[in-house]
Amino acid sequence: MNHDSHDAGLQAQQSTLSPALRSSLRCPLSGQELIDGIDDAGQPALISPSAGLAYPVRDGVPILLVHEALRAPGPSPEPQA
């Protein structure tokens, strides 16, 4: 993944969600706070670490529907020594 596209995706997402709206969003499955992230396709997403889901953000609109969510990207595996 290109670091520049990651930063651009986060900037685009952050600029479209007002701080008041962003702070009130919660995972509809777990009720936990969502964090900014990028899905496997490099698109902005809101990540629910507790549910392991990535909710897409399309045209600046968070899609908080469980059936629309994808599995949250996991951490990169550690190289074997």
Side-chain angles (χ1 to χ4, degrees), residues 24-36:
S24 66
L25 296 177
R26 298 287 182 260
C27 173
L29 188 63
S30 70
Q32 299 297 312
E33 185 173 353
L34 298 166
I35 59 173
D36 295 321

Side-chain angles (χ1 to χ4, degrees), residues 15-58:
S15 66
T16 58
L17 297 176
S18 73
L21 171 64
R22 178 66 194 85
S23 67
S24 66
L25 296 177
R26 298 287 182 260
C27 173
L29 188 63
S30 70
Q32 299 297 312
E33 185 173 353
L34 298 166
I35 59 173
D36 295 321
I38 300 292
D39 67 15
D40 288 335
Q43 298 300 310
L46 295 175
I47 310 295
S48 173
S50 60
L53 296 173
Y55 296 96
V57 177
R58 297 184 188 130

